[in-house]
């Protein structure tokens, strides 16, 4: 016996279909529908595991996931199989991305504390431009 979709599930299915068809209004509704919940989930995760995490870092994590969802291939909305609610699946994606981000940041901070150069620093930069080992990595938000 097949269960008929109702309420939010049916609305989410229509929204998903619109997004997959590339409809800009559907993407705007998608971000309105899920954006704040995803941001709250990422903010909570980063706040729990990454001391001093900023709201900008949480926004960046969510934006990376949304960009990947809009693209083709693995990690896109087309990968949603419907085995859970769409919102549940999205939260799982952003939490995984937040954990990956936090792990990378913690490794980078640890290298700085040990006096190693950050991985992004070019070996030819002058000593005056290097980040001092006792200084935490700056948060950079690119929009």
């Amino acid at each position: 016996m097949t269960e008929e979709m109702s309420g939010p599930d049916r609305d989410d299915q229509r929204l998903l279909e619109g997004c997959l068809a590339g409809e800009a209004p559907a993407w705007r509704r998608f971000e309105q529908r899920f954006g704040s919940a995803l941001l709250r989930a990422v903010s909570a995760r980063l706040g729990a595991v990454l001391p001093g995490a900023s709201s900008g870092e949480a926004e960046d994590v969510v934006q990376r996931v949304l960009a990947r969802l809009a693209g083709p291939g693995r990690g896109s909305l087309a990968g949603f199989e419907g085995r859970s609610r769409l919102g549940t699946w999205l939260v799982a994606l952003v939490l995984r991305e937040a954990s990956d981000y936090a792990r990378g940041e913690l490794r980078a901070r640890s290298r700085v504390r040990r006096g190693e150069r950050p991985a992004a620093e070019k070996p030819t930069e002058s000593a005056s431009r290097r980040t001092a080992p006792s200084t935490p990595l700056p948060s950079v938000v690119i929009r």
Side-chain angles (χ1 to χ4, degrees):
M1 189 161 127
T2 310
E3 269 188 57
E4 189 175 312
M5 268 193 253
S6 64
D9 290 337
R10 183 179 31 225
D11 293 342
D12 287 352
Q13 183 62 35
R14 278 193 232 122
L15 185 57
L16 178 63
E17 290 167 0
C19 290
L20 290 172
E23 299 171 7
W27 276 107
R28 283 192 294 277
R29 286 193 315 273
F30 181 88
E31 288 186 1
Q32 289 171 346
R33 166 100 167 81
F34 297 108
S36 61
L38 299 178
L39 186 58
R40 279 193 309 272
V42 171
S43 295
R45 173 65 54 92
L46 291 181
V49 298
L50 189 62
S54 71
S55 62
E57 287 172 300
E59 290 171 9
D60 289 346
V61 167
V62 171
Q63 286 303 312
R64 272 198 302 276
V65 171
L66 292 176
R68 193 168 52 243
L69 288 171
R74 187 170 184 263
S76 72
L77 267 179
F80 177 64
E81 298 174 354
R83 292 184 289 173
S84 63
R85 288 191 161 177
L86 181 58
T88 302
W89 182 73
L90 293 168
V91 168
L93 289 178
V94 296
L95 289 178
R96 191 174 311 121
E97 183 75 19
S99 294
D100 291 347
Y101 174 80
R103 245 187 318 276
E105 280 297 302
L106 290 170
R107 273 190 231 112
R109 290 177 184 183
S110 176
R111 284 191 298 267
V112 169
R113 278 193 301 273
R114 290 191 313 259
E116 298 174 16
R117 284 195 303 248
E121 185 178 298
K122 297 176 186 160
T124 58
E125 288 185 2
S126 69
S128 64
R129 293 188 60 201
R130 291 187 186 141
T131 303
S134 61
T135 306
L137 289 175
S139 296
V140 178
V141 178
I142 301 172
R143 296 198 193 267

